[in-house]
Amino acid sequence: MKILVTGGAGYIGSHTCVALLEHGWDVVAVDNLLNSSRESIKRVERITGGRIHFYQIDILNKPALANIFRQHKIDAVIHFAGLKAVGESVEIPFQYYHNNITGTLILLDVMKENNVRHLVFSSSATVYGDPDRLPIQEDSRLCATNPYGRTKLFIEEILKDIHSSDNSWNFALLRYFNPVGAHETGQIGEDPLGPPNNLLPYIAQVAVGRMPHLNIFGNDYDTPDGTGIRDYIHVVDLADGHLKALSKIFTNPGIAVYNLGSGRGHSVMEMLHAFEKACEKKIPFKIAPRRPGDVASCYADPSKAEKELGWKALKSIDDMCKDTWNWQRINPNGYK
Ligand code: NAD
Ligand code: WQD
């Protein structure tokens, strides 16, 4: 099988490339390197001893994308390429809608022209907004609360409409909860541009001395310790979920939607303590006001993925913190 991975140099894309190569599949990766580095591709090749056909292109560039489908006989696509920062999406919504939605439409158009009808799409738990019930099941109410989330929700709707009009398409929509961690070798991991938006990369940068302290956004939520609760999922487990989703769409299921989470909620305080254990240091923190748009608690019911894909998150928060720390310690400045 030959799999095209868009956004293959990024955080989740690079870990999924490792899993694909280790599974023995051919990997073609495209990325414009806007939020990533060519170095991650080299390191994936080093970890696996495999080879990636890598192209630095923008998926908005239809002729360049079409050229890749001419050069390679692609069997399926895993589509990670997209902009993903919630706060930034509020400031530059046009870029988010254009990049994420137009980019996906161009990809689908090129796939159709080349008769490639299998796609795994990176959706997000952000499509549940403030969840109407916990744990969140796939049929929970959908209500994105920011432009980034709406791009995910609209793309899901687009894929559903395309499938309704032509059932030769097969789509897996994977709603990730909070991806964290890094490959156990410490060679690839999350390398945010500028100050991290997300909790674990921020804690890791405090631990390595790049940031003075963590701001905890609110300790007055209706949760046992007052801090926000999320469902953290190790990126290596997540990568494995993509392999399982690919196997599923090759059975031609039409549209399949899955939560990829651990099913367990952990508070900010719990994550901080788990990280302190992993790095054997105290992490200085301050209690700050709540971050606008944050919800108190969000965690998955991942039982549909277990039942239909045979997939389950295996790694604990201690594994997540240990591997994040290992990556950050070995690469204090990321790939630079
Ligand atoms: P990432 O930024 O590390 O990876 C995305 C990659 O896509 C980057 O390498 C970027 O350079 C590339 N890219 C962006 N626009 C492109 C374009 N027009 N053409 C070509 N390449 C382009 O992010 P990630 O964390 O690996 O996320 C991957 C996907 O998963 C994204 O779609 C994201 O929205 C989704 N997702 C991420 C999270 C998370 O917390 N990391 C959670 C849920 C969903
Ligand atoms: C986790 C918890 C914060 C940073 C985001 C996106 C979501 C998805 C995953 C893409 C919350 C607290 C955080 C900090 C803190 N991405 N926190 N100090 O907000 O659950 O989800 O990433 O699809 O769409 O919204 O993740 O890691 O930012 O926050 O106290 O410096 O940590 O308030 O309770 P979030 P996060």
Side-chain angles (χ1 to χ4, degrees), residues 174-247:
L174 304 184
R175 295 179 181 151
Y176 317 150
F177 278 68
N178 287 60
V180 295
H183 193 263
E184 62 179 7
T185 57
Q187 290 302 301
I188 56 172
E190 187 166 12
D191 182 19
L193 274 182
N197 297 309
N198 299 113
L199 179 65
L200 258 251
Y202 207 105
I203 294 180
Q205 291 199 11
V206 175
V208 85
R210 280 172 69 179
M211 293 288 171
H213 65 269
L214 171 73
N215 286 307
I216 295 185
F217 298 142
N219 66 349
D220 56 354
Y221 284 105
D222 185 14
T223 61
D225 66 21
T227 65
I229 287 182
R230 295 292 183 274
D231 184 337
Y232 297 92
I233 162 110
H234 196 295
V235 66
V236 169
D237 279 336
L238 195 59
D240 178 50
H242 290 75
L243 261 65
K244 301 272 173 23
L246 272 179
S247 302

Side-chain angles (χ1 to χ4, degrees), residues 116-164:
V116 179
R117 301 300 179 107
H118 295 87
L119 177 96
V120 176
F121 173 61
S122 297
S123 189
S124 168
T126 193
V127 299
Y128 297 116
D130 196 352
D132 59 349
R133 58 180 197 259
L134 290 168
I136 303 172
Q137 290 171 324
E138 286 80 355
D139 61 358
S140 294
R141 182 195 58 198
L142 302 181
C143 91
T145 55
N146 55 70
Y148 164 69
R150 278 186 281 276
T151 69
K152 294 294 177 192
L153 199 47
F154 294 161
I155 294 167
E156 286 202 4
E157 295 299 322
I158 290 168
L159 297 178
K160 287 175 194 162
D161 286 338
I162 290 176
H163 173 260
S164 301

Side-chain angles (χ1 to χ4, degrees), residues 13-299:
S14 56
H15 289 81
T16 303
C17 286
V18 170
L20 290 167
L21 289 170
E22 284 177 345
H23 193 70
W25 282 344
D26 265 358
V27 178
V28 179
V30 299
D31 201 300
N32 62 7
L33 302 184
L34 199 73
N35 196 37
S36 52
S37 135
R38 179 79 178 73
E39 179 65 19
S40 68
I41 296 287
K42 287 193 199 141
R43 295 196 186 181
V44 169
E45 293 183 330
R46 205 186 303 152
I47 291 168
T48 59
R51 155 120 215 277
I52 296 181
H53 305 275
F54 178 73
Y55 300 87
Q56 184 178 349
I57 64 151
D58 197 304
I59 58 166
L60 292 166
N61 181 345
K62 188 177 171 194
L65 198 56
N67 199 26
I68 286 165
F69 280 78
R70 268 194 295 279
Q71 287 182 50
H72 298 276
K73 200 194 155 316
I74 303 292
D75 294 293
V77 178
I78 307 183
H79 179 32
F80 294 107
L83 300 174
K84 64 161 183 178
V86 171
E88 186 183 63
S89 79
V90 177
E91 274 148 36
I92 52 167
F94 179 84
Q95 282 92 324
Y96 270 69
Y97 287 119
H98 184 54
N99 192 74
N100 293 5
I101 297 182
T102 313
T104 302
L105 291 174
I106 289 172
L107 173 66
L108 290 165
D109 203 19
V110 177
M111 287 176 67
K112 188 169 178 217
E113 285 170 6
N114 289 276
N115 205 25
V116 179
R117 301 300 179 107
H118 295 87
L119 177 96
V120 176
F121 173 61
S122 297
S123 189
S124 168
T126 193
V127 299
Y128 297 116
D130 196 352
D132 59 349
R133 58 180 197 259
L134 290 168
I136 303 172
Q137 290 171 324
E138 286 80 355
D139 61 358
S140 294
R141 182 195 58 198
L142 302 181
C143 91
T145 55
N146 55 70
Y148 164 69
R150 278 186 281 276
T151 69
K152 294 294 177 192
L153 199 47
F154 294 161
I155 294 167
E156 286 202 4
E157 295 299 322
I158 290 168
L159 297 178
K160 287 175 194 162
D161 286 338
I162 290 176
H163 173 260
S164 301
S165 72
D166 173 356
N167 63 15
S168 66
W169 285 97
N170 288 283
F171 298 120
L173 314 187
L174 304 184
R175 295 179 181 151
Y176 317 150
F177 278 68
N178 287 60
V180 295
H183 193 263
E184 62 179 7
T185 57
Q187 290 302 301
I188 56 172
E190 187 166 12
D191 182 19
L193 274 182
N197 297 309
N198 299 113
L199 179 65
L200 258 251
Y202 207 105
I203 294 180
Q205 291 199 11
V206 175
V208 85
R210 280 172 69 179
M211 293 288 171
H213 65 269
L214 171 73
N215 286 307
I216 295 185
F217 298 142
N219 66 349
D220 56 354
Y221 284 105
D222 185 14
T223 61
D225 66 21
T227 65
I229 287 182
R230 295 292 183 274
D231 184 337
Y232 297 92
I233 162 110
H234 196 295
V235 66
V236 169
D237 279 336
L238 195 59
D240 178 50
H242 290 75
L243 261 65
K244 301 272 173 23
L246 272 179
S247 302
K248 177 74 179 177
I249 57 171
F250 287 133
T251 66
N252 298 335
I255 286 258
V257 186
Y258 299 105
N259 284 339
L260 295 188
S262 71
R264 289 179 296 275
H266 294 285
S267 73
V268 174
M269 273 304 179
E270 278 180 84
M271 296 308 284
L272 182 74
H273 293 321
F275 205 95
E276 287 180 332
K277 193 165 96 185
C279 71
E280 299 175 325
K281 296 181 196 189
K282 278 280 173 206
I283 306 287
F285 70 87
K286 291 185 181 165
I287 302 299
R290 290 182 179 192
R291 185 172 62 179
D294 274 357
V295 299
S297 297
C298 173
Y299 51 92

